Amino acid sequence: MVTVLFYTLAAITLATTVLCLTRNNPVHAVLYLVQALFALALLYFMLGAPLLAAWQVILYAGAIMVLFLFVIMLFEPPVADKRTSGRLTHWFFPVMLGGLLLACGGALIAMDPAAKASLSSYWLTPRDYGRALFERYALAVEIISLILLFAAVGAFHLGRRYRSTTKEDVS
Amino acid sequence: MIVPLGHVLILAGLLFVAGLAGVLLRRNLIMILIGVEIMLNAVSLTLVGASAYWRHPDGQLFALLLMAVAAAEVTVALALVIYLKRSRGTLDVNRFDGMKG
């Protein structure tokens, strides 16, 4: 039963990802990606990461994707690219590269005996999660918060609408 | 959960390659960013699977850090998108062929 659920969710994730990447309208693409993220959150939950599943919904689907939607809707007229590399030569190398990458990865997974070991979910409660995070990786949390601060400052700097920076204008 | 680890890895690999193909094939800057997001999610799935395989919390912890880094990356990247749209008037990456800002 659980196995069937896993493969169903995997199929949903893959299908929505492919649909997302083939849309011409970015708004539709983002909405499909949100659905893929929900399916991934359920997969995390099945693998035993309830807190991570909640963050996937709140942070990824809730915050990051809404940021994408804001930026897309800022543009007037809405962006939609008609020309998405229709020529065959554009498709040849990426598809060959991706296929080769997948073939190598699949061969490695097929050769590895550990890959056949069946997974059981490793349930990590929020309490254990918090203990592990703040006891051993407190420094990493600090560094991540600094990175977020730098990103916010950088985004503010880039998004500012500069007037002309001549001397007369300033004074 | 009776799924072999290999199937989780194969799913993550398929997602990663889909995102990579999106990055390489699409010409719209926003679609390229979405491809990057998909690749990051594939890596995150691998980490959660590894966490379940080794019965160790580190994979899940690192998935959270990855999420935070992705948030920072998206913030800066979308600010750049707005900047480029303002200064060049387009989001087609084929048109961004000059070094001068």
Side-chain angles (χ1 to χ4, degrees), chain A residues 2-3 6-7 10 13-14 17 20-24 26 29-30 33 37 40 43-44 46-49 52 55-56 59-60 64-65 67-68 71-72 74-75 79-81 83-85 90-91 94 97-98 101-102 109 114-122 124 129 132-133 136-137 140 144 147-148 151-152 155 158-161, chain B residues 1-11 13-28 30-31 33-35 37-38 40-42 44-45 48-49 51-76 78-83 85-86 91-92 94:
Chain A
V2 183
T3 316
F6 175 86
Y7 291 116
T13 312
L14 272 177
T17 302
C20 159
L21 285 170
T22 49
R23 293 305 94 182
N24 270 336
V30 168
L33 185 56
L37 292 178
L40 266 179
L43 281 177
Y44 290 168
M46 285 176 67
L47 287 167
L52 208 59
W55 275 327
Q56 178 88 356
L59 252 175
Y60 244 113
I64 298 182
M65 288 302 125
L67 197 65
F68 265 100
V71 168
I72 292 168
L74 266 181
F75 298 140
V79 280
D81 57 342
R83 197 175 57 80
T84 54
S85 312
H90 285 173
W91 285 81
L97 189 71
L101 209 61
L102 260 187
I109 291 168
K116 291 179 185 62
S118 70
L119 283 181
S120 56
S121 73
Y122 175 59
L124 202 62
Y129 197 102
L133 184 63
R136 272 183 295 162
Y137 296 107
I144 286 286
I147 288 177
L148 284 170
L158 282 171
R160 250 177 91 178
R161 204 183 280 276
Chain B
M1 192 81 185
I2 321 152
V3 175
L5 174 65
H7 291 189
V8 177
L9 293 181
I10 287 172
L11 172 63
L14 283 171
L15 280 177
F16 190 88
V17 169
L20 184 65
V23 169
L24 290 176
L25 288 172
R26 299 303 301 255
R27 298 270 69 87
N28 188 336
I30 288 181
M31 294 308 294
L33 282 177
I34 286 175
E37 288 305 302
I38 290 169
L40 281 170
N41 268 292
S44 199
L45 178 65
V48 176
S51 176
Y53 176 67
W54 275 291
R55 329 288 302 164
H56 201 273
D58 275 7
Q60 293 186 20
L61 299 181
F62 201 81
L64 173 68
L65 300 184
L66 192 63
M67 224 178 259
V69 171
E73 170 250 332
V74 162
T75 314
V76 176
L78 285 177
L80 275 173
V81 165
I82 292 176
Y83 178 79
K85 177 78 176 169
R86 246 186 226 153
L91 286 181
D92 188 350
N94 283 344

Side-chain angles (χ1 to χ4, degrees), chain A residues 123-170:
Chain A
W123 196 260
L124 202 62
T125 59
R127 180 191 165 87
D128 299 337
Y129 197 102
R131 285 189 75 95
L133 184 63
F134 288 109
E135 277 177 1
R136 272 183 295 162
Y137 296 107
L139 182 65
V141 173
E142 294 299 323
I143 292 172
I144 286 286
S145 64
L146 273 181
I147 288 177
L148 284 170
L149 178 66
F150 295 156
V153 173
F156 177 71
H157 176 72
L158 282 171
R160 250 177 91 178
R161 204 183 280 276
Y162 286 107
R163 301 215 186 90
S164 68
T165 50
T166 51
K167 275 280 160 60
E168 306 86 79
D169 224 318
V170 170

